[in-house]
Amino acid sequence: MPLLEFTPSGIYCRQADIYIDPWRKVNKAIITHAHSDHSRWGMKHYLAHPMSIPVMKLRLGNDISVQPVEYNQKLNINGVEISLHPAGHIPGSAQVRVSYKGETWVASGDYKVEDDGLSTAFEPVKCHTFITECTFGLPIYKWKPQSEIFREMNNWWKANQENGLTTIVTAYSLGKAQRILQNVDTNIGKIYTHGAVENTNEVLRKAGLDLTETSLITRDTTKKELQGNLIIAPPSALNTPWANRFKPISDGIASGWMMLRGTRRRRAADRGFALSDHADWPGLLQAIKATGAQNVITTHGYTSVFSKYLNEIGINSVEEKTLFIGESIDTAEEEKGKEEAVS
Amino acid sequence: MKDFAALFTALDQTNSTLKKVDALAKYFDRSNDQDKLWAIAILSHRRPKRTVKTTLLREWAAEEGEIPLWLFEEAYHTVGDLAEAIALVVPESSEQQNESLSYWIDLIISLGKEEEETKKTAILAAWHQMDAAERFVFNKLITGGFRMGLSQKLMTRALAKHTGIEESELAHRLMGDWSPQTTTFNELILTKDEKADLSKPYPFYLAYALDGEVSDLGQPNDWFAERKWDGIRGQVIVRDGQVFVWSRGEELVTDRFPEFQSFAEALPHGTVLDGEIIPVVDGIPLAFGLLQRRIGRKTVGKKLLTEIPIHLIAYDLLEYDGKDLRGLPHLERRAMLEKLVRNHPVDRLLLSDLVAFTEWKELTEVRSDSRANHCEGLMIKRKSATYQVGRKKGDWWKWKVDPLVIDAVMIYAQRGHGRRANMYTDFTFAVWKGEQLVPFAKAYSGLTDAEMREVDAFVKKNTIERFGPVRSVHSELVFEIAFEGINASSRHKSGVALRFPRINRWRKDKPKEEANTYKDLIQLLENYGQ
Ligand SMILES: [Zn+2]
Ligand SMILES: [Zn+2]
């Protein structure tokens, strides 16, 4: 019996009787991060990083039963050592390490290796078997350093300001939105937010995250007030009456999918910034090698191609294809411009 | 090259034609003449000959990206564009380049006669010196297929802005058989010399598809109507005893249609005709497929000349007696055209007859028998209209017949490109022949996004066999396939070839047994094939 199994309810540790990011109702769930494709409603009992909990409560309800687990804090459940380790994806995001009788598995959840200046930076964890996402597991996905991307974003904002335009950048409301407001140059102007983004900001601030000051756009916010400033909104707000009422605007999308010209062009926005909270191709390889794992199980994304390549470079790998339906909600949100109703 | 790559990026980053024209005009302002000329050439689809095979480019890119070739191919499939896939896979380096666009194009051209090793050294060195955006543009210069989101019309507008020369005048100067290797910016763009190039055609005036009701056009009496012939649009020029034939794609195709050489003798010098190039036997136009057999050849043998006798069905007169008539109303041009054809009868020159009508209702009837007359529908042109440049709304309308349709069963699916690389978007359709399904058409466009996702899920659940990116699926889904024409074809297993097949709608209401039969298909061929 493997230490972690793929079951119809999710990744399962039989010895500890606990699931990782399950999608069906189970008794005990340990949650890698608060994105809705990982943190689902209906579990009897949750375990999660303290930074994930307020967002989970916002999205799943205040009455959920949830136990905080710090990074590197070791839990012992029926002889199994379980701990969370920074995944660098969004604030509170974690990899789950499970160790029993000398055998160690790590489930990565979503992760990126670049320090984004917002989330606790990714830490590689030694293990025998590594379950990795590979949303961007193709050699065409190679992110620029975020400093360079934010320089481009700042220049675009400045140019818009000089042309009397209001800048709107879309990003999903948990993680990417805060990453942007932490990293853009606030000397240029003020940052305004859509309700979905501001709700998340608020709980993260309460949880102790020191976020840049933002102003919520309300019915009373005037066009004049916004002019030349930056609005951060969820992808679903693009080309809606809500966004159109701030015209003249210039709009941009921050998403890893913007790496490809075809995607940029299809999404009728003025600018596309290839800014992702997932590991790029070199990042995936770097992370996998750092675990020292002999076995790698790939989930989410280009699993078959990525596994085939890992095998060719001498790392045992299989794709886990049956269970993960579709792609991550966060990337799906970016792609389809759909955001669950948080506001 | 930096400037050109930046221009490319700027054009990509805006949907506003105003900003695009502006960006290009600014590029012209700051570039040297040779770079300007190349930019114009590229934007009017005159790229240099390919000097490096794409298979080699793929191998080198995989090598540089330190990945196996199969992985590069997967990446390429996802990106959907070879130049871009290479640009992304090749790693960034700290080297830089500051050479001009012309420098790099000259380099690419010079590689034509070099050995493979020399080519490789040169291309790799170029890749290393460029950033991803420059690398993409450089690769595009090699592979072709530039889509800069800027029509030739907008390019001309930007050039007009830059030079101060009138747009239509520039459009004329830009036409014809030129290359930056044989002319200069000064000679081509800035020098006004009507005599310099006898072959120069006028920019074509293009019609819009009629979207509303025909009666919305107003008084029938204000309009001419003609058959819309299913040939290729062409301009035949007779100047100084020479004949030049231009296709709508601004390609000089004189050699392919030797039939028109007799016009040199028969027609007065300084005559330019706009019309349809089409094979005609006993006054009846032949199938488009036959014309394609002619277009495909650079030189035409005796057999083809007799089997597929090309004619020009003239519908407009753009120049007479060396004078540009485009500013005259159509009514006057038409009268002059009729007179010309009457006074100078020549084999292979026909007049496009006007369809007489006094009420729109009559026209609707004429249109409905288009297919029987081997036509695509009708053209409706305003009598008072001048001959304009490019596609303009308002005075010229094409009114096509409804497409032919057949209900067919989907039997194969193929993965799409780019972001759709994980979705099945290209399909093969079949009709019943007894218990068997005979494939007869491939089509991809026509479904909504939601339908596409649904079909994709069906394909994934109902796969029988996989062959690379293609899967055979359980025959279950029925679609209405629309197409513009049908012809017998020995190259296709089904024995028929369709023109512009596409998915018209998903027939969820039809069980597979009720899809059309092979007999129905052959019936269509007999009724409408030629
Ligand atoms: Zn996530
Ligand atoms: Zn996810």
Side-chain angles (χ1 to χ4, degrees), chain A residues 202-319:
Chain A
E202 212 169 288
V203 294
L204 289 175
R205 282 194 188 104
K206 261 191 219 148
L209 213 58
D210 183 21
L211 292 180
T212 307
E213 195 187 315
T214 51
S215 311
L216 173 67
I217 296 177
T218 66
R219 212 160 289 167
D220 305 325
T221 314
T222 63
K223 210 155 125 168
K224 187 95 191 69
E225 208 179 325
L226 290 168
Q227 194 180 18
N229 291 316
L230 175 71
I231 300 174
I232 302 177
S236 56
L238 207 62
N239 301 318
T240 59
W242 181 85
N244 288 341
R245 84 181 157 101
F246 312 132
K247 275 182 176 176
I249 55 175
S250 179
D251 49 13
I253 300 171
S255 156
W257 301 112
M258 294 296 132
M259 192 78 197
L260 300 189
R261 183 168 177 245
T263 325
R264 285 196 300 271
R265 282 157 58 105
R266 264 196 295 283
R267 288 304 310 271
D270 297 326
R271 294 292 290 266
F273 298 92
L275 182 76
S276 177
D277 289 325
H278 291 267
D280 60 357
W281 172 261
L284 290 168
L285 294 176
Q286 179 197 324
I288 287 165
K289 285 173 187 162
T291 62
Q294 297 109 359
N295 297 303
V296 174
I297 301 170
T298 59
T299 66
H300 288 94
Y302 297 97
T303 50
S304 71
V305 172
F306 194 54
S307 276
K308 183 176 171 187
Y309 178 72
L310 289 177
N311 283 312
E312 278 192 15
I313 61 168
I315 299 168
N316 272 334
S317 179
V318 288
E319 56 168 327

Side-chain angles (χ1 to χ4, degrees), chain B residues 120-151:
Chain B
K120 183 174 176 181
T121 314
I123 299 286
L124 294 196
W127 283 349
H128 289 165
Q129 291 166 51
M130 294 176 181
D131 68 19
E134 293 162 14
R135 205 154 46 225
F136 171 55
V137 169
F138 176 73
N139 293 339
K140 274 286 180 200
L141 292 173
I142 304 174
T143 61
F146 256 108
R147 280 214 185 83
M148 296 182 61
L150 200 69
S151 63

Side-chain angles (χ1 to χ4, degrees), chain B residues 227 355 362-371 375-378 399-402:
Chain B
R227 297 279 188 190
V355 176
E362 298 165 54
L363 214 50
T364 312
E365 270 164 43
V366 176
R367 169 176 169 264
S368 65
D369 69 6
S370 290
R371 220 167 241 125
C375 293
E376 289 185 290
L378 292 171
W399 194 26
K400 287 205 188 184
V401 274
D402 296 329

Side-chain angles (χ1 to χ4, degrees), chain B residues 466-480:
Chain B
R466 303 178 187 215
F467 330 85
V470 180
R471 294 181 177 199
S472 62
V473 296
H474 290 293
S475 17
E476 214 174 293
L477 305 188
V478 178
F479 295 86
E480 184 178 272

Side-chain angles (χ1 to χ4, degrees), chain B residues 137-379:
Chain B
V137 169
F138 176 73
N139 293 339
K140 274 286 180 200
L141 292 173
I142 304 174
T143 61
F146 256 108
R147 280 214 185 83
M148 296 182 61
L150 200 69
S151 63
Q152 181 150 353
K153 192 163 110 191
L154 292 178
M155 183 265 282
T156 314
R157 187 171 302 165
L159 192 59
K161 221 170 157 173
H162 168 67
T163 57
I165 301 168
E166 209 178 310
E167 236 178 275
S168 58
E169 174 64 35
L170 280 174
H172 200 180
R173 287 183 198 180
L174 284 175
M175 288 196 99
D177 194 17
W178 61 270
S179 144
Q181 289 163 274
T182 55
T183 184
T184 64
F185 186 77
N186 201 26
E187 219 173 83
L188 182 79
I189 309 292
L190 302 180
T191 313
K192 192 179 168 80
D193 184 3
E194 302 288 357
K195 287 258 148 56
D197 195 348
L198 287 174
S199 76
K200 214 161 242 185
Y202 293 98
F204 284 90
Y205 179 20
L206 306 173
Y208 262 93
L210 188 69
D211 37 18
E213 291 296 317
V214 69
S215 53
D216 293 346
L217 293 179
Q219 289 297 326
N221 193 35
D222 292 342
W223 299 85
F224 283 134
E226 294 163 88
R227 297 279 188 190
K228 182 173 182 346
W229 305 105
D230 192 8
I232 54 170
R233 181 88 179 268
Q235 222 176 93
V236 178
I237 295 171
V238 181
R239 287 184 193 134
D240 252 18
Q242 279 180 278
V243 174
F244 306 95
V245 185
W246 290 90
S247 74
R248 207 196 89 184
E250 286 176 37
E251 209 188 340
L252 194 57
V253 290
T254 315
D255 297 345
R256 304 196 194 172
F257 304 110
E259 286 98 334
F260 298 141
Q261 284 308 319
S262 56
F263 289 14
E265 292 279 298
L267 300 181
H269 297 319
T271 298
V272 178
L273 292 160
D274 181 11
E276 201 80 2
I277 297 173
I278 191 167
V280 178
V281 171
D282 298 334
I284 299 165
L286 303 181
F288 189 78
L290 291 171
L291 179 57
Q292 268 175 327
R293 275 173 59 202
R294 286 283 304 262
I295 301 168
R297 316 256 165 120
K298 288 242 166 176
T299 52
V300 194
K302 264 219 171 87
K303 192 160 171 279
L304 275 184
L305 278 177
T306 33
E307 275 177 14
I308 310 169
I310 293 292
H311 288 67
L312 180 77
I313 301 181
Y315 35 65
D316 218 321
L317 184 62
L318 309 186
E319 182 179 308
Y320 182 73
D321 205 13
K323 276 206 266 317
D324 182 351
L325 305 183
R326 291 177 300 159
L328 297 179
H330 197 167
L331 195 67
E332 285 179 42
R333 295 200 310 276
R334 174 79 201 180
M336 292 173 81
L337 173 68
E338 286 175 5
K339 203 169 131 199
L340 176 84
V341 175
R342 202 169 48 237
N343 293 347
H344 303 272
V346 53
D347 194 24
R348 306 308 173 100
L349 175 60
L350 302 169
L351 182 69
S352 171
D353 290 322
L354 294 177
V355 176
F357 70 107
T358 49
E359 279 179 71
W360 292 119
K361 210 170 58 206
E362 298 165 54
L363 214 50
T364 312
E365 270 164 43
V366 176
R367 169 176 169 264
S368 65
D369 69 6
S370 290
R371 220 167 241 125
N373 287 287
H374 303 316
C375 293
E376 289 185 290
L378 292 171
M379 292 296 304

Side-chain angles (χ1 to χ4, degrees), chain A residues 33-38 89-90 110 172 277-278 328-331:
Chain A
H33 64 291
H35 275 149
S36 54
D37 58 326
H38 297 259
H89 174 57
I90 61 166
D110 293 342
Y172 57 80
D277 289 325
H278 291 267
S328 308
I329 292 288
D330 46 348
T331 60

